Amino acid sequence: KQEVTQIPAALSVPEGENLVLNCSFTDSAIYNLQWFRQDPGKGLTSLLLIQSSQREQTSGRLNASLDKSSGRSTLYIAASQPGDSATYLCAVTNNQAGTALIFGKGTTLSVSS
Amino acid sequence: EAGVAQSPRYKIIEKRQSVAFWCNPISGHATLYWYQQILGQGPKLLIQFQNNGVVDDSQLPKDRFSAERLKGVDSTLKIQPAKLEDSAVYLCASSHYGSPVRAGGKLFFGSGTQLSVL
């Protein structure tokens, strides 16, 4: 059974700092991996999607990497801003047709000005 | 493009009462999902529809939860009777293609319904 773990559970950093969020998964037979952002009281917004054949994806100040063989992904946020404060969730799709996303518990990020 | 619409935003009920949530996916999206997110946890899939057929309801507590997607468009999730442990945010999501695998996994989420069972 696929399990997704995110470390740390919470992180506080001053504005301007670069930071890394970690995600690990137990079954390497994934189709893709996604990073989502969730603001309090809101739904989820997809940030980056990495297909299993890819090593990384970039969007603005965000960079996500994937090492399928070791079951790990990282989300790198450069030059953090207070507006980055949110919960970041990692989710995988197993390599079977029709399966839905399996989520980790998330990392809650607080960026202080 | 309009997003995934959900209602109500908040609901407070007493245990053993019934409650229903509604979701209208993005127009043209074939696949619809209901997720349950308990405080401090990641979302857990309850049920997945493709058009008006059920693809996966293995984690749906069928003794108290039910869901339907008539005409393959909007969907309703019902809980009857509710228990204290059902307190959570219920998220609806949709994707364009028949499965997230073929679609490349792009899901669009609604804002959710926050349920409190007292």
Side-chain angles (χ1 to χ4, degrees), chain B residues 46-58 67-69:
Chain B
L46 291 175
I47 189 166
Q48 176 185 347
F49 291 95
Q50 181 174 337
N51 297 311
N52 60 350
V54 176
V55 174
D56 183 358
D57 64 356
S58 58
E68 60 182 11
R69 190 184 184 196

Side-chain angles (χ1 to χ4, degrees), chain A residues 40-85:
Chain A
K42 301 286 182 62
L44 281 68
T45 301
S46 180
L47 296 173
L48 290 165
L49 171 84
I50 311 177
Q51 302 291 355
S52 62
S53 59
Q54 298 174 323
R55 299 284 293 187
E56 65 178 342
Q57 283 288 327
T58 298
S59 175
R61 295 182 293 108
L62 305 178
N63 175 276
S65 69
L66 174 63
D67 184 344
K68 213 175 73 163
S69 60
S70 68
R72 295 176 188 271
S73 175
T74 61
L75 178 67
Y76 175 82
I77 302 177
S80 58
Q81 303 170 358
D84 295 330
S85 298

Side-chain angles (χ1 to χ4, degrees), chain A residues 31 34 38 41 43 49 98-99 101 104, chain B residues 9 35 37 42 48 100-101 104-105 110:
Chain A
Y31 192 82
Q34 291 188 69
Q38 186 172 31
L49 171 84
T99 56
L101 296 172
Chain B
R9 285 286 284 123
Y35 282 86
Q37 186 176 22
Q48 176 185 347
V101 175

Side-chain angles (χ1 to χ4, degrees), chain B residues 1 26 34 62 83 114 118:
Chain B
E1 178 181 70
I26 293 173
W34 283 101
K62 298 180 185 64
K83 293 185 175 181
Q114 185 170 329
L118 307 177

